[in-house]
């Protein structure tokens, strides 16, 4: 029981450090009773009843609770926050670094996209990043290398809150993306829910009843062909987010080196208006229908040097990715080197170190 007490103290200490983020998910507590003692496990993702056999002959076996504990949907999920009208600010993680993922979560980003399309990592690299983000209670989205059922299946089994499908050019491709996130008969997702991380390795009895409603299906529109069918793509049932891809869009229009070209910006504005129009129409129709509905898709986008995140927010975007981890480090590293090299000191000339103003912060800051 000393070990249990120690683990409990660590959990309380960690929770105290994270109080500064008001939107963080509230922890759930799982209690297992074996007279005369009670053991509690804290989880930020699921609430589940499990049974652990006891090898201590002095203690009776630990029994699972008679009725299974009911799962309570977290108020801080991406879908619930979007439904509440929040604009979410995120980061793309290309480095596949769990350390940078953890820093991003602690910094306060609303979500982090672990990028397996342009990033160097794959599924096995994404898993430590998801664990690091879970430790900071920051939702993770996985961007797939390609819009395939195989990649979607492996990504969904890790338990992210969202899946991003790249290069969705047609309504049929959007419908395929949705099907990849649904079990048969509604879709084509393969089933291993009894042993994967998404279901707490089979310990979460309620996983199947809610997983399809909780996952955020994000379809990237990033080609001129997709732009021509944007309203039909946005209208596909089950598409939760239409994510704009300005870099690939500009390349498909012949402006690879000029994503800020006036013609590219004009096309983007037109697409934005159409997606927001589909959302408004669908939301009004669902509100008028008996029982209501989820409404149309949200609009997601990437900030660019010529199109900063605050402008995307002002134009009605619901999810704004403001930076890339590699880009942030590159800029900081280049500025650090330039700052050092710009210091001009005459050879043999020394300054009195006691005359220099004292820095208020550590060198690492």
């Amino acid at each position: 029981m000393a070990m249990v007490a120690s683990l409990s103290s660590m959990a309380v200490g960690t929770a105290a450090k994270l109080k500064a983020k008001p939107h963080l998910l509230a922890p759930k507590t799982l209690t297992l009773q074996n007279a005369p003692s009670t053991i509690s496990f804290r989880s930020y993702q699921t609430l589940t009843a499990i049974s652990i056999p006891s090898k201590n002959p002095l203690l009776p076996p630990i029994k699972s609770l008679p009725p299974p504990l009911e799962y309570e949907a977290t108020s801080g999920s991406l879908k619930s926050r979007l439904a509440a009208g929040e604009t979410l600010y995120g980061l793309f993680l290309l480095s596949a670094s769990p350390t940078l993922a953890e820093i991003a979560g602690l910094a306060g980003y609303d979500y982090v996209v672990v990028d397996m399309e342009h990033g160097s990592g794959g599924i096995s690299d994404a898993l430590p990043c998801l664990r690091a983000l879970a430790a900071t209670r920051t939702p993770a989205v996985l961007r797939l290398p390609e819009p395939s059922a195989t990649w979607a299946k492996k990504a969904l089994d890790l338990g992210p809150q969202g899946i991003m499908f790249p290069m969705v050019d047609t309504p049929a491709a959007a419908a395929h993306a949705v099907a990849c996130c649904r079990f048969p008969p509604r879709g084509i997702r393969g089933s291993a829910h009894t042993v994967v991380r998404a279901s707490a390795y089979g310990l979460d009895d309620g996983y199947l009843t809610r997983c399809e409603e909780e996952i955020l299906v994000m379809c990237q529109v990033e080609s001129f062909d997709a732009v021509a069918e944007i309203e039909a793509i946005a209208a596909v049932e089950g598409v939760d987010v239409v994510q704009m891809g300005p870099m690939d869009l500009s390349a498909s229009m012949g402006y690879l080196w000029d994503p800020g070209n006036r013609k590219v910006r004009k096309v983007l504005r037109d697409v934005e208006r159409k997606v927001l129009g589909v959302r408004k129409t669908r939301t009004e129709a669902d509100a008028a229908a008996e029982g209501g509905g989820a409404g149309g898709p949200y609009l997601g986008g990437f900030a660019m040097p010529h199109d900063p995140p605050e402008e995307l927010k002002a134009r009605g975007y619901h999810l704004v990715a403001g930076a890339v981890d590699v880009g942030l480090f590159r800029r900081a590293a280049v500025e650090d080197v330039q700052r050092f090299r710009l210091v001009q000191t005459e050879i043999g000339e020394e300054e009195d170190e006691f005359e220099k103003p004292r820095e208020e912060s550590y060198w690492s800051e």
Side-chain angles (χ1 to χ4, degrees):
M1 295 308 294
M3 181 179 294
V4 173
S6 175
L7 290 172
S8 177
S9 299
M10 291 171 63
V12 171
T14 302
K17 293 179 182 178
L18 295 172
K19 282 182 178 178
K21 293 177 70 176
H23 65 272
L24 294 176
L25 309 186
K28 305 294 188 295
T29 302
L30 166 64
T31 302
L32 303 177
Q33 295 181 344
N34 68 316
S37 59
T38 298
I39 302 176
S40 293
F41 297 89
R42 294 169 68 83
S43 169
Y44 294 101
Q45 294 183 345
T46 57
L47 187 61
T48 334
I50 61 175
S51 175
I52 302 177
S54 173
K55 295 182 179 180
N56 189 333
L58 300 179
L59 293 175
I62 299 176
K63 298 178 180 179
S64 59
L65 296 175
L69 296 176
E70 294 183 1
Y71 173 84
E72 297 177 7
T74 55
S75 60
S77 69
L78 290 178
K79 273 195 169 181
S80 65
R81 295 183 65 193
L82 287 168
E86 291 189 54
T87 301
L88 305 183
Y89 188 59
L91 173 82
F92 266 67
L93 190 81
L94 265 69
S95 66
S97 166
T99 298
L100 294 184
E102 187 175 32
I103 291 172
L106 293 171
Y109 285 102
D110 296 314
Y111 66 97
V112 172
V113 179
V114 180
D115 190 2
M116 297 188 296
E117 183 189 16
H118 292 294
S120 59
I123 287 292
S124 58
D125 303 291
L127 179 55
C129 295
L130 263 65
R131 287 173 173 155
L133 290 168
T136 67
R137 294 171 287 179
T138 302
V141 173
L142 285 179
R143 179 158 76 163
L144 307 182
E146 60 183 27
S148 74
T150 300
W151 278 106
K153 173 174 57 179
K154 294 176 76 68
L156 287 165
D157 285 348
L158 294 187
Q161 283 198 25
I163 296 288
M164 187 180 294
F165 291 83
M167 294 293 179
V168 177
D169 293 336
T170 64
H176 174 73
V178 174
C180 289
C181 300
R182 305 285 190 260
F183 288 113
R186 299 179 63 201
I188 59 175
R189 179 183 174 186
S191 175
H193 60 274
T194 57
V195 291
V196 296
R197 181 177 184 269
S199 65
Y201 304 99
L203 300 176
D204 181 1
D205 294 331
Y207 174 71
L208 290 180
T209 64
R210 67 177 194 280
C211 63
E212 294 180 2
E213 297 305 318
E214 290 185 348
I215 193 71
L216 197 69
V217 180
M218 308 174 71
C219 291
Q220 281 194 259
V221 171
E222 44 189 347
S223 73
F224 198 63
D225 290 339
V227 165
E229 299 198 68
I230 185 60
E231 289 174 303
I233 292 173
V236 171
E237 187 71 30
V239 172
D240 298 308
V241 177
V242 173
Q243 176 80 25
M244 299 309 302
M247 293 290 288
D248 282 304
L249 176 60
S250 64
S252 74
M253 293 177 62
Y255 299 102
L256 176 63
W257 295 104
D258 187 16
N261 185 279
R262 180 181 58 83
K263 293 181 180 179
V264 178
R265 296 201 309 270
K266 183 177 182 300
V267 168
L268 271 174
R269 299 299 185 275
D270 186 50
V271 172
E272 292 165 5
R273 285 191 294 270
K274 288 180 178 179
V275 173
L276 293 173
V278 170
R279 172 164 178 77
K280 181 180 179 182
T281 301
R282 282 266 303 276
T283 301
E284 291 174 349
D286 288 346
E290 187 175 345
Y298 299 101
L299 180 63
F302 301 90
M304 301 283 286
H306 61 273
D307 199 10
E310 57 272 17
E311 291 191 13
L312 268 65
K313 181 179 180 180
R315 294 204 302 272
Y317 278 78
H318 305 96
L319 296 100
V320 177
V324 178
D325 63 335
V326 174
L328 288 174
F329 181 77
R330 177 200 62 206
R331 183 166 65 247
V334 169
E335 289 177 355
D336 183 55
V337 172
Q338 289 178 340
R339 187 165 49 247
F340 177 81
R341 290 179 177 169
L342 286 174
V343 175
Q344 300 293 330
T345 305
E346 295 292 335
I347 297 178
E349 183 177 318
E350 297 183 3
E351 296 183 23
D352 188 343
E353 61 178 327
F354 299 107
E355 301 267 337
K356 294 180 181 179
R358 180 176 293 275
E359 291 288 340
E360 293 293 333
S361 59
Y362 292 103
W363 66 270
S364 59
E365 298 176 354

